[in-house]
Amino acid sequence: MKLDFLESAVLKTLVLDYSEPDIQKLLEIDHEKYHLIISNLFFKYNTYDLFQTILFAIANGHINRYDLVKDEIKNLALSHSQYIYDNLKILDLLKIKSSNDLDGLLNEFIIKSQGIFIKKDCSKISFVLSLEEIEYCKHRVFHSLRCDLSEFDESILTNFKIEKALIRRLKVNNFFNVIRRVFELQLIEKDIFVPEYEDLQKAIKEEVKINIISNYQALDMTDKEKRLSIYFNLINYYNELENKLFFAECVLI
């Protein structure tokens, strides 16, 4: 299955938390056309839930994952890739193994990425979620990924007020970005969603380290290519960590 340009564009802008009027303005489509696109997406993914539609589109690779990364993370990855490259050069000159230092530099990247959003939004958002809200977020993600439609649909109808309240409190435009904000602002512990999250993070980081070191040591790559390689590895690292929270049990279509 493929998405056409407008279907893909609508999903990407929804993930990036554009409002419906802003999407219509950006894509130069009217209200009727926008909702026709949404209806077509629901039909293609056999659901009438926007959150689930977005998850299926990402999990199946129907929209480019890089396009969904926020500018704040891209800018941080760009500056941090240069920082890592400079450190690797120094370690190389000193003939020191870079693995342990790179581990710390990757940890620093994740800490900085979390700090960006906390610093930006700490004065705008009420940070304490109720137990009911936490349970709803868990339930929503769990059943969306398992595609348990009967219980899933009933849950949405029963708890729609909670979802609307979360969207309002977190100042976002849809439930996908509720979950994104919950993780960005660390409002819920990640292992509540993925019990083995820390182990998964270590495994992903180890793979990123291997890729960075391998490309840095490659004789057929220019300095610019090595820096770009570090940049894209940082983006992939961030994406993989986010993916584990959303798609650990997602069923591909």
Side-chain angles (χ1 to χ4, degrees), residues 162-190:
I162 297 176
E163 185 161 320
K164 296 298 287 184
L166 283 167
I167 289 172
R168 184 176 63 254
R169 286 183 60 202
L170 293 172
K171 303 183 187 301
V172 295
N173 291 298
N174 55 66
F175 192 74
F176 181 89
N177 280 284
V178 166
I179 300 300
R180 231 183 187 184
R181 298 302 280 148
V182 161
F183 295 136
E184 287 171 350
L185 301 175
Q186 302 179 70
L187 302 182
I188 301 177
E189 292 295 328
K190 295 179 178 67

Side-chain angles (χ1 to χ4, degrees), residues 187-202:
L187 302 182
I188 301 177
E189 292 295 328
K190 295 179 178 67
D191 57 10
I192 288 178
F193 286 81
V194 184
E196 69 280 13
Y197 183 82
E198 286 191 15
D199 291 336
L200 288 170
Q201 181 173 0
K202 289 178 182 177

Side-chain angles (χ1 to χ4, degrees), residues 237-252:
Y237 183 32
Y238 187 87
N239 282 343
E240 282 299 310
L241 292 179
E242 189 174 64
N243 284 349
K244 291 302 179 187
L245 297 165
F246 280 108
F247 310 121
E249 300 181 76
C250 192
V251 177
L252 300 185

Side-chain angles (χ1 to χ4, degrees), residues 4-14 23 27 63:
D4 65 29
F5 173 78
L6 283 177
E7 289 170 341
S8 175
V10 165
L11 284 177
K12 288 176 183 178
T13 48
L14 285 167
I23 293 172
L27 300 180
I63 46 180

Side-chain angles (χ1 to χ4, degrees), residues 12-20 22-23 26 173-174 177:
K12 288 176 183 178
T13 48
L14 285 167
V15 170
L16 292 172
D17 203 30
Y18 282 65
S19 67
E20 182 178 322
D22 286 341
I23 293 172
L26 177 68
N173 291 298
N174 55 66
N177 280 284

Side-chain angles (χ1 to χ4, degrees), residues 102 106 200-215 233 236-237 240 244:
L102 185 53
L106 290 173
L200 288 170
Q201 181 173 0
K202 289 178 182 177
I204 294 167
K205 181 169 63 175
E206 194 60 34
E207 185 176 342
V208 170
K209 283 167 57 179
I210 291 170
N211 288 339
I212 289 176
I213 292 172
S214 175
N215 288 330
N233 269 287
N236 290 338
Y237 183 32
E240 282 299 310
K244 291 302 179 187

